[in-house]
Amino acid sequence: MPRLPAARGAAASAQAQPPLVTIEMVAQAAGVSPSTVSRILNGTAVVSEDKAKAVHGAIERLGYVPSPVARGLAGGRTFSVGAVTQSLDSPFYGAALRGIEIELQQIGYTPLFISGQWNEIDERRSVAVLRARRVDGIILLDARLSDGELLQLAEQLPVVATGRTLSAPRLASLRFDNFQGAVEATQYLLRLGHRRVVFIAGAPDHQDAQERQRGYLHALAVSGIAPDEKLIVAGDYSEASGLRAIDGLLRRGAEFSAIFAANDQMALGAMLGLYRHGIAIPDQVSVVGFDDLQAGHFSIPPLSSVHQPSCEMGQIAARAMAALLGGTRPELQLPVPRLIVRESAAPCRRE
Amino acid sequence: MPRLPAARGAAASAQAQPPLVTIEMVAQAAGVSPSTVSRILNGTAVVSEDKAKAVHGAIERLGYVPSPVARGLAGGRTFSVGAVTQSLDSPFYGAALRGIEIELQQIGYTPLFISGQWNEIDERRSVAVLRARRVDGIILLDARLSDGELLQLAEQLPVVATGRTLSAPRLASLRFDNFQGAVEATQYLLRLGHRRVVFIAGAPDHQDAQERQRGYLHALAVSGIAPDEKLIVAGDYSEASGLRAIDGLLRRGAEFSAIFAANDQMALGAMLGLYRHGIAIPDQVSVVGFDDLQAGHFSIPPLSSVHQPSCEMGQIAARAMAALLGGTRPELQLPVPRLIVRESAAPCRRE
DNA sequence: CTGAAAGCGCTTACAG
DNA sequence: CTGAAAGCGCTTACAG
């Protein structure tokens, strides 16, 4: 005897999920087979006009919504893509997540956001969760996993990675030009007449941090300025480290008229440090950051910074995923770095 | 003829999903039936020691991970819960999302984050997406949907809502005490001797904004101070509106020695406005905010603010969901509002 | 162009 | 305590 609907109904009542409109019901209502309904929904085959109309009518009337769960099991595609971010509560990644959401939604996909917390262990676990959920592809924002691991992952399913330069049949990557951004920030300060420009470095294990430092060094070199080691101070991308940087610099009696911080958070921390020491910005010391965080738009004074188009990055990554999912190679056109000039830097008055 | 594995293999190759270890394979390897494996995994029935051991061994060896997709279809539970946030890139909600992620992960659930963008339309669409995905429950952070809609939703599946005071068999709600927080912020300013305290209001359609205004008014009343309408200025929770508030106040020649902004973003905007007009903080004007955003920790000067434990809120909401999912009524114990005193307020010097 | 049937990987009454 | 079987809601060769 076939199991009666009542059996499942009883089980379901514990969870009391709403009564489901199934493909079978619309098939019946439209006078066709479930196969036909499925094909119409998926555009899988050409179907006669009137049948199509009948089916759409039935769908409308019954309020049918296909179950992604069942589609996932049967078709092998879940119409979801995983997105691993380093942090769910970072002022920087949030916009990228929104960008991904916007773009994915447009093609009928659902994003699964999960965080990697800037370490390989969590990241690997997140990828495992995503794969267990059978996502159709995975987007990784600034992954900490090795290139090898990413490449290997891409053999299993489509992958797009930001902050990397990597390519494989099913792997697309995009990387913001941190070097160029840093060059522009530094040159801006140089053009204002500053010669002793402090660089507050980011976490040394972040590639982007390294690139920004190279950019700083390069701009100096182009202007024929020898880098002064005493002006390059370590940081870790946090506000607190920016503040500490200033304390250290001042304690050592370092001379400088400008600061380029590898990110806005450190720039903001540095500004607070300067304020505590009674140093006026930009009158006595100019400050430029990197990222163009919201927090810098209304800081005192508003912070000049290299804009990172993080929402667009998310959108571009998602569109690349869409292409991969569609079986085509994505064309990736990244926005170029642009310095947003606000009020935290002024011409050098010293010397 | 039964469809051969090859058939599906061919279809799958388009997506090239990895070869799957199924429950059937571990059953075979352990010499038991799939039913038994399932029961062991779900703790659904008592099973003999040795069978259990054999099964766990096989799972280990084969690296079996149950498919949530199949479990969802068969069992009616997907082990995922939806979380609708107003914004994925808000400095405020991010921490709550992380709190939800932490807690859900601990009970083996996956969160599905989706944004509502502060409007009913998107929120409703998000809830629909979540339901189509067959999540086992939905957490809503400061939903814009009506109480009625929430109650109705809770008839379909477990719901927990923040920012509400609502109760139903399968609906839990938790609400931060905005009123009390505002009272404390205002009283702090009052204790510092300020008598003319500006209130920059939040978006009038936000309940929390209204409560904060009531708190401000209440504190004034308790101190026997008649509210001055000219000191209550409209805002919308954005930095820009805080800045505009100052411009308006100053243009009208309003007299005040302190400002209580209904959130930090407006407080920060107000501080910039003050700075532009050459007014020193806190020497000439004191400022207090609400939310205790990261951006205020390093503002100039660091902003005193009512702390909102947003990560904990997320965790509490998730734990409440876990209870609901387990069929028990959650006990909700919310942290009380606490003012974090930093450097943006000082004793009143006027008069 | 379209339907019947098998199968996706699980869970869960049912019957020992 | 445990297995065989049916079913969850779809998709997709297969065979008209």
Side-chain angles (χ1 to χ4, degrees):
Chain A
M1 184 178 78
R3 188 147 118 234
L4 298 176
R8 162 141 234 274
S13 86
Q15 291 298 321
Q17 286 290 346
L20 215 29
V21 179
T22 70
I23 198 172
E24 191 133 359
M25 294 166 71
V26 341
Q28 197 139 36
V32 299
S33 74
S35 324
T36 299
V37 177
S38 172
R39 284 192 272 256
I40 288 174
L41 251 29
N42 293 296
T44 298
V46 198
V47 178
S48 72
E49 266 297 307
D50 34 324
K51 298 233 174 190
K53 203 171 296 176
V55 167
H56 280 122
I59 287 175
E60 192 81 13
R61 243 175 314 118
L62 301 177
Y64 170 67
V65 181
S67 156
V69 176
R71 295 223 284 174
L73 228 208
R77 289 162 53 188
T78 56
F79 300 92
S80 64
V81 346
V84 1
T85 175
Q86 293 310 322
S87 164
L88 282 168
D89 60 339
S90 128
F92 180 72
Y93 290 107
L97 301 189
R98 174 62 182 153
I100 290 173
E101 183 183 53
I102 290 172
E103 218 58 31
L104 248 28
Q105 185 189 301
Q106 244 159 48
I107 57 170
Y109 272 72
T110 301
L112 251 59
F113 298 114
I114 188 163
S115 67
Q117 301 297 116
W118 287 284
N119 72 75
E120 293 187 45
I121 312 293
D122 279 306
E123 220 171 71
R124 213 170 274 132
R125 189 189 39 66
S126 293
V127 168
V129 168
L130 258 13
R131 297 206 37 207
R133 291 268 162 198
R134 300 272 118 188
V135 294
D136 296 338
I138 295 182
I139 297 174
L140 298 114
L141 304 177
D142 295 334
R144 309 310 293 268
L145 297 177
S146 69
D147 285 2
E149 235 170 310
L150 252 31
L151 255 8
Q152 196 181 317
L153 183 61
E155 276 164 27
Q156 319 279 13
L157 79 181
V159 169
V160 1
T162 70
R164 312 291 274 239
T165 317
L166 221 53
S167 183
R170 308 212 299 173
L171 170 56
S173 67
L174 50 154
R175 166 185 232 143
F176 185 70
D177 194 343
N178 290 285
F179 174 81
Q180 185 55 33
V183 167
E184 295 195 4
T186 310
Q187 288 185 334
Y188 168 65
L189 255 10
L190 261 19
R191 273 200 307 276
L192 286 173
H194 298 283
R195 285 301 169 262
R196 299 194 58 77
V197 179
V198 164
F199 178 70
I200 307 182
D205 57 327
H206 283 55
Q207 269 207 25
D208 48 22
Q210 295 165 20
E211 289 167 21
R212 291 174 197 181
Q213 179 155 352
R214 282 201 305 109
Y216 160 80
L217 260 12
H218 177 79
L220 250 38
V222 165
S223 289
I225 299 176
D228 181 345
E229 273 200 15
K230 292 189 296 296
L231 296 187
I232 300 182
V233 11
D236 61 11
Y237 272 168
S238 73
E239 288 91 347
S241 75
L243 197 156
R244 280 195 301 272
I246 294 300
D247 287 342
L249 247 11
L250 263 22
R251 194 177 331 108
R252 297 200 305 272
E255 300 228 350
F256 58 92
S257 66
I259 297 173
F260 169 40
N263 79 349
D264 280 1
Q265 289 175 265
M266 293 194 297
L268 262 8
M271 284 166 71
L272 179 57
L274 260 10
Y275 164 80
R276 291 211 187 294
H277 286 279
I279 298 172
I281 308 166
D283 295 351
Q284 295 172 269
V285 168
S286 290
V287 179
V288 171
F290 201 115
D291 282 350
D292 195 22
L293 250 42
Q294 175 80 10
H297 298 10
F298 288 84
S299 61
I300 294 176
L303 179 65
S304 296
S305 183
V306 178
H307 178 69
Q308 277 227 67
S310 79
C311 180
E312 288 105 300
M313 291 284 284
Q315 292 184 281
I316 291 169
R319 278 199 287 265
M321 178 53 73
L324 251 20
L325 254 13
T328 67
R329 288 266 352 129
E331 286 282 337
L332 295 174
Q333 187 70 277
L334 279 201
V336 296
R338 212 158 39 87
L339 176 74
I340 310 293
V341 174
R342 281 193 271 259
E343 304 159 38
S344 59
C348 182
R349 296 188 176 179
R350 305 251 179 112
E351 303 169 85
Chain B
M1 185 180 77
R3 189 148 117 234
L4 297 176
R8 163 143 232 276
S13 87
Q15 292 295 322
Q17 286 289 344
L20 215 29
V21 178
T22 70
I23 198 173
E24 191 133 357
M25 295 166 71
V26 342
Q28 197 138 35
V32 299
S33 75
S35 324
T36 300
V37 177
S38 172
R39 283 192 273 256
I40 288 174
L41 252 30
N42 293 296
T44 298
V46 199
V47 177
S48 71
E49 268 297 306
D50 35 324
K51 299 233 173 193
K53 205 171 296 176
V55 167
H56 281 121
I59 288 176
E60 192 80 13
R61 244 177 313 121
L62 301 177
Y64 170 67
V65 181
S67 156
V69 176
R71 296 223 283 174
L73 227 208
R77 289 162 53 189
T78 55
F79 299 92
S80 65
V81 346
V84 1
T85 176
Q86 293 310 319
S87 164
L88 282 168
D89 60 339
S90 128
F92 181 71
Y93 290 107
L97 301 189
R98 174 63 182 152
I100 291 173
E101 183 183 52
I102 290 172
E103 217 59 31
L104 247 29
Q105 185 190 301
Q106 247 162 44
I107 57 170
Y109 272 70
T110 301
L112 250 61
F113 298 115
I114 188 164
S115 67
Q117 300 299 115
W118 288 284
N119 73 75
E120 292 189 43
I121 311 292
D122 279 305
E123 221 170 72
R124 214 169 274 131
R125 191 189 39 66
S126 294
V127 168
V129 168
L130 258 14
R131 295 206 39 206
R133 291 267 162 199
R134 300 270 119 191
V135 294
D136 296 338
I138 295 182
I139 297 173
L140 298 115
L141 304 177
D142 295 335
R144 309 311 294 267
L145 297 177
S146 69
D147 285 2
E149 236 171 310
L150 252 30
L151 256 8
Q152 195 181 317
L153 184 61
E155 276 164 27
Q156 319 279 12
L157 79 180
V159 169
V160 1
T162 70
R164 312 292 272 240
T165 316
L166 221 54
S167 183
R170 308 213 298 173
L171 169 55
S173 68
L174 51 155
R175 165 185 233 145
F176 184 71
D177 194 343
N178 290 285
F179 174 81
Q180 185 55 32
V183 166
E184 294 194 5
T186 309
Q187 287 184 335
Y188 168 65
L189 256 10
L190 261 21
R191 273 199 306 277
L192 287 173
H194 298 283
R195 285 300 168 264
R196 298 195 58 78
V197 179
V198 164
F199 178 69
I200 306 182
D205 57 327
H206 283 56
Q207 270 207 25
D208 49 21
Q210 296 166 20
E211 289 167 22
R212 292 173 196 183
Q213 179 154 352
R214 282 200 304 108
Y216 161 81
L217 260 13
H218 177 80
L220 251 37
V222 165
S223 290
I225 300 176
D228 181 345
E229 273 200 17
K230 292 190 295 296
L231 297 187
I232 300 183
V233 10
D236 61 11
Y237 272 168
S238 73
E239 288 90 347
S241 75
L243 197 155
R244 279 196 302 271
I246 294 299
D247 287 342
L249 246 13
L250 263 22
R251 195 179 331 108
R252 296 201 306 273
E255 300 227 349
F256 58 93
S257 65
I259 296 173
F260 169 40
N263 78 349
D264 280 0
Q265 288 175 266
M266 294 193 298
L268 262 7
M271 284 166 71
L272 179 58
L274 260 11
Y275 164 79
R276 291 212 187 295
H277 286 280
I279 299 173
I281 308 165
D283 295 350
Q284 294 172 272
V285 168
S286 290
V287 179
V288 171
F290 202 115
D291 281 350
D292 194 22
L293 249 42
Q294 175 79 10
H297 298 8
F298 289 83
S299 62
I300 294 178
L303 179 64
S304 297
S305 183
V306 178
H307 178 68
Q308 278 226 67
S310 79
C311 182
E312 287 105 299
M313 292 284 284
Q315 292 184 280
I316 292 170
R319 279 198 287 265
M321 177 52 73
L324 251 21
L325 254 12
T328 67
R329 288 266 352 128
E331 286 282 338
L332 295 174
Q333 188 69 279
L334 278 202
V336 296
R338 212 158 40 86
L339 176 73
I340 309 292
V341 173
R342 280 191 273 259
E343 304 160 39
S344 60
C348 181
R349 296 189 173 178
R350 305 252 180 112
E351 301 168 86

